[in-house]
Amino acid sequence: MKREIKFRAWNGVDWVNTDQIQCWDLLHDTTYDYQQYTGLKDKNGDEIYEGDILEELIMNETETQIGVCKQVLGGWQIFAHPNSSIRWHGWKQRVIGNIHENGDLLK
């Protein structure tokens, strides 16, 4: 299976265009926080990137759990707040923000 490899970049204020990113930039440029697209989409069809904050319905779909998407050992995992991991159920999860613009969702 082939997946699209793409990134987004945060400069501390805004997201910037990443169309011209070179591999060298990813390894050596500390000006930006680069976040990779996971190749996965949430229940609304929105792309999920590393650093996205996701919300999942749990407990017979009456409660929610919030987690952050992180890369671990070459794969993607969603870490629930504060530090446990949640299973991937794309049909139940939705992106509600990201760690840069919506970090307050994790408090």
Side-chain angles (χ1 to χ4, degrees), residues 66 70 79-84 106:
I66 292 176
K70 297 180 182 181
F79 287 89
H81 183 66
N83 253 341
S84 61
L106 300 173

Side-chain angles (χ1 to χ4, degrees), residues 7 17-29 34:
F7 294 86
N17 182 354
T18 59
D19 291 339
Q20 301 300 320
I21 289 179
Q22 303 293 321
C23 288
W24 181 261
D25 295 335
L26 295 173
L27 297 172
H28 301 285
D29 183 0
Y34 294 103

Side-chain angles (χ1 to χ4, degrees), residues 21-23 30 47 49-50 52 54 63 66 71 107:
I21 289 179
Q22 303 293 321
C23 288
T30 58
E47 295 176 341
Y49 282 81
E50 178 179 14
D52 275 346
L54 293 103
E63 295 180 33
I66 292 176
Q71 188 174 35
K107 294 180 182 177

Side-chain angles (χ1 to χ4, degrees), residues 5-74:
I5 306 239
K6 60 184 179 177
F7 294 86
R8 65 183 183 189
W10 177 257
N11 68 5
V13 178
D14 289 313
W15 294 103
V16 297
N17 182 354
T18 59
D19 291 339
Q20 301 300 320
I21 289 179
Q22 303 293 321
C23 288
W24 181 261
D25 295 335
L26 295 173
L27 297 172
H28 301 285
D29 183 0
T30 58
T31 308
Y32 303 103
D33 178 17
Y34 294 103
Q35 296 177 337
Q36 188 175 2
Y37 172 50
T38 64
L40 303 170
K41 296 186 178 187
D42 72 359
K43 71 178 188 176
N44 298 322
D46 295 326
E47 295 176 341
I48 299 174
Y49 282 81
E50 178 179 14
D52 275 346
I53 301 171
L54 293 103
E55 177 183 63
E56 178 179 22
L57 289 171
I58 57 172
M59 303 295 287
N60 295 326
E61 301 191 359
T62 58
E63 295 180 33
T64 59
Q65 183 172 12
I66 292 176
V68 177
C69 183
K70 297 180 182 181
Q71 188 174 35
V72 179
L73 300 173

